Amino acid sequence: MMRLLIRAVRDEISSISKANVKIKRFFLKANRHIAGATNYGIDKARGEYVGLFDHDDVLHPDALFFSNCGEDK
């Protein structure tokens, strides 16, 4: 049952990343726990900003817009 769930989650992540080129997906072969996975993701990041989210985080649709409103000033 767990393998089926993991496969479904990986398939969904792959589908989302194919639909949006800004989203990069990486699947680690071993569990590196939260700190290791976070460091791996930051190391792979190539953009100017990095957003980190847990499974239970919710981001308002306009949050990134409002967080950058005064950036050019």
Side-chain angles (χ1 to χ4, degrees):
M1 179 69 168
M2 187 59 128
R3 286 181 179 261
L4 197 58
L5 179 61
I6 291 170
R7 171 54 53 201
V9 170
R10 285 183 176 214
D11 289 347
E12 183 66 18
I13 291 169
S14 294
S15 176
I16 291 169
S17 68
K18 286 178 185 171
N20 185 337
V21 298
K22 293 180 181 180
I23 297 174
K24 307 295 182 220
R25 60 153 180 78
F26 299 98
F27 299 115
L28 303 176
K29 294 186 188 307
N31 185 348
R32 296 188 183 182
H33 304 283
I34 189 68
T38 299
N39 290 336
Y40 184 85
I42 291 171
D43 184 55
K44 293 292 184 182
R46 297 293 173 249
E48 193 171 340
Y49 300 98
V50 175
L52 303 173
F53 298 92
D54 290 324
H55 68 284
D56 59 348
D57 290 342
V58 177
L59 184 67
H60 187 278
D62 295 328
L64 297 178
F65 171 77
F66 287 114
S67 70
N68 291 319
C69 280
E71 189 167 297
D72 292 335
K73 296 178 183 174

